[in-house]
Amino acid sequence: MIQVAILPCNPKKAALHHLLSPLIKELKQLKSSGMHIIGSDDVELTVKAHLLIASGNIVGVTDLCNHSGHSSNFGCRICTIETTRLLSPKGKGYGRYFLGPNLLPKNRKIKDFKDGDPEHGLYCPTPFAELKSFSGPFFFGLDELHLIGANLGPLLWKMFNKDSNSVFRLSKKKNDTLGRCLEESIKTLPSTFTGRPIGSSYLAVDWVDIVIFIIPTIVTELLEQSRCERNAISCLLGLVEAYSITLSWEVTNEDITKVQILLDQWHIFAMEKLEHNLYTSVMHYLRHIPQALKYLGPTRAYSTRPSERIIGVYSRLIKSKSSPASNAANVMMRLSAIREY
């Protein structure tokens, strides 16, 4: 990964594109004029480069495309589904939830990002739409680490809680059994297991492992013992299978079709059996995964995992409070030198 900049923390939306403007300018030059390179055989080549994707978590991408956010009336940056205002699960305050028909609304058009569409949440044009390589809503990706790891995992886990009103609710005794099984399993986990299944706080990668390995085994067994509806368990396992496919490095057209069928089944089940205030933006964005696979390929190929790792590295190395900018620049140069030379 090539690190080109470290931006100030929590930049305002208006300032974000101002900070990115030098990068946008250079990208325009690279796609039009390119750069001249002299090879080892003394032959001069002109190479042009194009930016294919600008991705991140749901909130971060909202700023990149100048979208009003998932809490707005049109809270999806990909399509124009209209959200519904409902009381939150905790009963404190209201939120916007993504109820809707089985058939998704049409995707936003390239023109919407170029000109802005304030009526549907794109309050002004995004500079990325000026690039020749801009391809529409999926130019901003659909990151699996944040979508399913950091968001879907905890959402599903809450449904198993003894205080949940979900059809997947497990009693206190079953929850205790689940915790004990996880604790006993830690001793036999293979070294290839990337997350930490035991602990007071989980990282996104931990939730990925929990969704893929824990839910279809220990959790499913406890649900069966609790006499959970067979169709509910089937739809839950279908959701896990769909996610497992999206994590594959190779995805065929048959795989995409299967993911579409499994996620459609989950959507119908969720609309019929789950509380509507559980249908958050995360649940909605799942429905766009088949399109993301079709347009962008395997989600692991454009995952933000490398970015998150390097953020951790920089966070540990940048310690200066008096001159953080100089400290960050020196760290970037040092790491680049180590990697390249």
Side-chain angles (χ1 to χ4, degrees), residues 140-157:
F140 299 104
L142 193 59
D143 180 52
E144 53 83 21
L145 180 65
H146 291 95
L147 176 60
I148 299 182
N151 291 288
L152 180 65
L155 180 62
L156 291 176
W157 206 252

Side-chain angles (χ1 to χ4, degrees), residues 36 60 64 102 135 143 148 152 187 206 255 257 271 315 322:
H36 302 288
L64 292 179
N102 295 339
S135 56
D143 180 52
I148 299 182
L152 180 65
K187 301 173 184 178
D206 303 327
D255 291 331
T257 300
M271 290 297 294
S315 297
S322 59

Side-chain angles (χ1 to χ4, degrees), residues 67-86 95-108 117-121 267 271 276 279-281 284-285 287-288:
H67 180 238
S68 53
H70 62 276
S71 297
S72 61
N73 290 341
F74 295 91
C76 177
R77 69 173 187 269
I78 297 175
C79 71
T80 54
I81 186 171
E82 189 168 3
T83 58
T84 304
R85 185 173 182 267
L86 296 173
R96 309 296 303 192
Y97 298 92
F98 291 70
L99 314 182
N102 295 339
L103 186 64
L104 279 171
K106 291 183 179 180
N107 287 349
R108 298 179 186 272
D117 184 15
E119 182 181 353
H120 296 100
H267 167 70
M271 290 297 294
H276 284 177
Y279 214 103
T280 62
S281 60
H284 171 74
Y285 276 118
R287 304 184 66 195
H288 288 296

